[in-house]
Amino acid sequence: NHILQSFQYFKSEKQPLIIKTQTWNTEYPYFKEIFTKGATIGLYILPENTNNIHTYKNRYAKAHLIKNQLTWSKYPEIYLYKEAVKVYAYYPYQSQININPQNIPIYIPSDASQTKDYMCGTQAHGQRKTNKYSPIALLHMKHTLSLLNIQIRLTPEVKNSHHLKAIQIGNKFGG
């Protein structure tokens, strides 16, 4: 029965894309889910072969919690064929039609604490080609903005109060 199901699976013309967003946790030896129920990510599915007609641009997926496991529903559903594809993802989803999946626009308000947690990524390094035979895209998402936490400590001998006027953060010249 299992062999018959496998044969029908490979015989099928197309298979739905399966999204996984768990990442390896460096603090503990297990995978950790980085999204929560209700999160929406933008998806670009681009063919490795530029002549492929099955190209999905700026679709989105929404996270649902089913039996304590996060699953992603695609809107509309994304189907894979025998041709390999590259999956680009970004968070949070933006509805603009023509944005470059490798250069997602971000908005940083004047109050930096109101800035969204932007992430982007693609399939994890070493993953098999994504197509109908291997329809799982294990997305390796990275935070696009840095978070700086600056703590100023004065030695016990410092008695007077001080006023900090500015902190300057720089990058290497030309970097």
Side-chain angles (χ1 to χ4, degrees):
N1 189 21
H2 178 67
I3 294 172
L4 181 59
Q5 287 176 340
S6 297
F7 177 72
Q8 288 179 350
Y9 176 80
F10 286 112
K11 189 177 175 184
S12 173
E13 179 183 326
K14 62 186 179 182
Q15 290 296 323
L17 173 67
I18 300 167
I19 300 288
K20 298 286 183 185
T21 52
Q22 294 178 335
T23 58
W24 181 254
N25 187 338
T26 56
E27 296 176 21
Y28 304 101
Y30 62 85
F31 285 93
K32 177 182 175 184
E33 182 57 64
I34 57 175
F35 291 102
T36 58
K37 174 183 167 185
T40 56
I41 58 175
L43 296 170
Y44 278 79
I45 314 316
L46 304 174
E48 287 187 351
N49 175 0
T50 57
N51 296 326
N52 188 331
I53 61 170
H54 306 295
T55 302
Y56 296 98
K57 294 182 180 178
N58 204 26
R59 301 292 176 95
Y60 78 97
K62 185 172 183 177
H64 302 280
L65 199 58
I66 299 173
K67 295 182 182 178
N68 288 336
Q69 178 138 1
L70 204 67
T71 60
W72 292 91
S73 297
K74 283 79 60 197
Y75 298 96
E77 184 63 76
I78 297 170
Y79 290 100
L80 301 176
Y81 298 83
K82 65 181 179 179
E83 299 88 3
V85 296
K86 185 79 166 178
V87 179
Y88 292 94
Y90 68 93
Y91 173 84
Y93 170 70
Q94 298 176 38
S95 61
Q96 293 91 343
I97 299 300
N98 295 317
I99 58 178
N100 180 344
Q102 295 177 321
N103 190 15
I104 304 298
I106 61 173
Y107 171 69
I108 301 175
S110 58
D111 178 359
S113 67
Q114 300 299 313
T115 303
K116 295 177 183 178
D117 183 13
Y118 291 94
M119 289 188 273
C120 62
T122 189
Q123 289 114 305
H125 181 70
Q127 182 180 349
R128 296 176 68 182
K129 289 186 177 186
T130 304
N131 58 22
K132 78 170 194 166
Y133 306 112
S134 180
I136 298 173
L138 177 58
L139 298 177
H140 179 70
M141 303 294 286
K142 295 180 181 178
H143 296 275
T144 58
L145 299 174
S146 298
L147 174 64
L148 299 175
N149 183 3
I150 299 171
Q151 297 178 357
I152 300 181
R153 296 191 174 122
L154 301 175
T155 60
E157 349 15 283
V158 176
K159 304 284 185 214
N160 300 333
S161 63
H162 296 274
H163 180 75
L164 178 65
K165 292 184 179 183
I167 293 176
Q168 182 175 353
I169 309 291
N171 195 0
K172 67 178 182 176
F173 180 75

